mmCIF file of all heavy atoms in Angstrom:
data_model
loop_
_atom_site.group_PDB
_atom_site.id
_atom_site.type_symbol
_atom_site.label_atom_id
_atom_site.label_comp_id
_atom_site.label_asym_id
_atom_site.label_seq_id
_atom_site.Cartn_x
_atom_site.Cartn_y
_atom_site.Cartn_z
ATOM 1 N N ARG A 765 269.420 164.176 -149.700
ATOM 2 C CA ARG A 765 268.990 162.890 -150.301
ATOM 3 C C ARG A 765 268.111 163.175 -151.471
ATOM 4 O O ARG A 765 267.536 164.269 -151.634
ATOM 5 C CB ARG A 765 268.057 162.181 -149.195
ATOM 6 C CG ARG A 765 268.071 160.624 -149.335
ATOM 7 C CD ARG A 765 267.490 160.020 -147.985
ATOM 8 N NE ARG A 765 267.721 158.599 -148.048
ATOM 9 C CZ ARG A 765 266.709 157.642 -148.126
ATOM 10 N NH1 ARG A 765 265.515 158.223 -148.195
ATOM 11 N NH2 ARG A 765 266.967 156.527 -148.143
ATOM 12 N N THR A 766 268.184 162.289 -152.455
ATOM 13 C CA THR A 766 267.509 162.448 -153.755
ATOM 14 C C THR A 766 266.666 161.211 -153.961
ATOM 15 O O THR A 766 267.191 160.036 -153.881
ATOM 16 C CB THR A 766 268.442 162.627 -154.902
ATOM 17 O OG1 THR A 766 267.625 162.754 -156.083
ATOM 18 C CG2 THR A 766 269.439 161.714 -155.025
ATOM 19 N N GLY A 767 265.395 161.295 -154.231
ATOM 20 C CA GLY A 767 264.528 160.210 -154.352
ATOM 21 C C GLY A 767 264.293 159.701 -155.843
ATOM 22 O O GLY A 767 265.021 160.259 -156.720
ATOM 23 N N ARG A 768 263.429 158.631 -156.002
ATOM 24 C CA ARG A 768 263.368 157.992 -157.260
ATOM 25 C C ARG A 768 262.924 159.016 -158.393
ATOM 26 O O ARG A 768 263.408 158.863 -159.484
ATOM 27 C CB ARG A 768 262.303 156.965 -157.218
ATOM 28 C CG ARG A 768 262.052 156.230 -158.378
ATOM 29 C CD ARG A 768 260.979 155.085 -158.179
ATOM 30 N NE ARG A 768 261.351 154.113 -157.241
ATOM 31 C CZ ARG A 768 260.569 153.093 -156.910
ATOM 32 N NH1 ARG A 768 259.405 152.983 -157.277
ATOM 33 N NH2 ARG A 768 261.013 152.247 -155.943
ATOM 34 N N PHE A 769 262.069 160.011 -158.042
ATOM 35 C CA PHE A 769 261.622 160.897 -159.086
ATOM 36 C C PHE A 769 262.285 162.173 -159.098
ATOM 37 O O PHE A 769 261.766 163.221 -159.581
ATOM 38 C CB PHE A 769 260.099 161.112 -158.744
ATOM 39 C CG PHE A 769 259.242 159.680 -158.903
ATOM 40 C CD1 PHE A 769 258.802 159.214 -157.845
ATOM 41 C CD2 PHE A 769 259.145 159.065 -160.034
ATOM 42 C CE1 PHE A 769 258.028 157.970 -157.736
ATOM 43 C CE2 PHE A 769 258.523 157.752 -160.150
ATOM 44 C CZ PHE A 769 258.021 157.351 -159.020
ATOM 45 N N GLY A 770 263.487 162.293 -158.469
ATOM 46 C CA GLY A 770 264.301 163.464 -158.504
ATOM 47 C C GLY A 770 264.073 164.477 -157.336
ATOM 48 O O GLY A 770 264.560 165.494 -157.372
ATOM 49 N N THR A 771 263.159 164.049 -156.531
ATOM 50 C CA THR A 771 263.019 164.969 -155.481
ATOM 51 C C THR A 771 264.092 164.997 -154.428
ATOM 52 O O THR A 771 265.048 164.087 -154.411
ATOM 53 C CB THR A 771 261.782 164.440 -154.469
ATOM 54 O OG1 THR A 771 262.050 163.134 -154.133
ATOM 55 C CG2 THR A 771 260.522 164.468 -155.244
ATOM 56 N N THR A 772 264.419 166.070 -153.925
ATOM 57 C CA THR A 772 265.650 166.360 -153.039
ATOM 58 C C THR A 772 265.145 166.978 -151.605
ATOM 59 O O THR A 772 264.246 167.616 -151.601
ATOM 60 C CB THR A 772 266.647 167.212 -153.650
ATOM 61 O OG1 THR A 772 266.001 168.579 -154.007
ATOM 62 C CG2 THR A 772 267.099 166.769 -154.898
ATOM 63 N N SER A 773 266.065 166.518 -150.758
ATOM 64 C CA SER A 773 265.862 167.087 -149.406
ATOM 65 C C SER A 773 267.239 167.416 -148.739
ATOM 66 O O SER A 773 268.265 166.769 -149.086
ATOM 67 C CB SER A 773 264.996 166.223 -148.547
ATOM 68 O OG SER A 773 265.733 164.962 -148.405
ATOM 69 N N TYR A 774 267.204 168.413 -147.900
ATOM 70 C CA TYR A 774 268.563 168.861 -147.269
ATOM 71 C C TYR A 774 268.381 169.068 -145.876
ATOM 72 O O TYR A 774 267.345 169.572 -145.334
ATOM 73 C CB TYR A 774 268.988 170.070 -147.995
ATOM 74 C CG TYR A 774 269.289 170.046 -149.376
ATOM 75 C CD1 TYR A 774 268.361 170.265 -150.380
ATOM 76 C CD2 TYR A 774 270.573 169.639 -149.901
ATOM 77 C CE1 TYR A 774 268.729 170.214 -151.792
ATOM 78 C CE2 TYR A 774 270.937 169.471 -151.197
ATOM 79 C CZ TYR A 774 269.893 169.838 -152.136
ATOM 80 O OH TYR A 774 270.238 169.699 -153.535
ATOM 81 N N ALA A 775 269.493 168.802 -145.027
ATOM 82 C CA ALA A 775 269.424 169.326 -143.728
ATOM 83 C C ALA A 775 269.552 170.670 -143.624
ATOM 84 O O ALA A 775 270.043 171.416 -144.537
ATOM 85 C CB ALA A 775 270.733 168.682 -143.074
ATOM 86 N N ASP A 776 268.857 171.370 -142.698
ATOM 87 C CA ASP A 776 268.714 172.750 -142.569
ATOM 88 C C ASP A 776 270.127 173.423 -142.611
ATOM 89 O O ASP A 776 270.343 174.597 -143.054
ATOM 90 C CB ASP A 776 267.944 173.148 -141.325
ATOM 91 C CG ASP A 776 266.361 172.815 -141.402
ATOM 92 O OD1 ASP A 776 265.987 172.697 -142.528
ATOM 93 O OD2 ASP A 776 265.780 172.818 -140.286
ATOM 94 N N SER A 777 271.191 172.708 -141.994
ATOM 95 C CA SER A 777 272.395 173.333 -141.880
ATOM 96 C C SER A 777 273.183 173.436 -143.198
ATOM 97 O O SER A 777 274.118 174.263 -143.231
ATOM 98 C CB SER A 777 273.246 172.427 -140.871
ATOM 99 O OG SER A 777 273.381 171.249 -141.371
ATOM 100 N N VAL A 778 272.734 172.782 -144.257
ATOM 101 C CA VAL A 778 273.464 172.908 -145.474
ATOM 102 C C VAL A 778 272.537 173.489 -146.650
ATOM 103 O O VAL A 778 273.051 173.716 -147.686
ATOM 104 C CB VAL A 778 273.942 171.495 -145.982
ATOM 105 C CG1 VAL A 778 274.769 170.872 -144.985
ATOM 106 C CG2 VAL A 778 272.770 170.606 -146.424
#
Side-chain angles (χ1 to χ4, degrees):
R765 213 161 187 250
T766 175
R768 178 182 296 175
F769 302 109
T771 56
T772 58
S773 60
Y774 295 91
D776 287 342
S777 60
V778 307

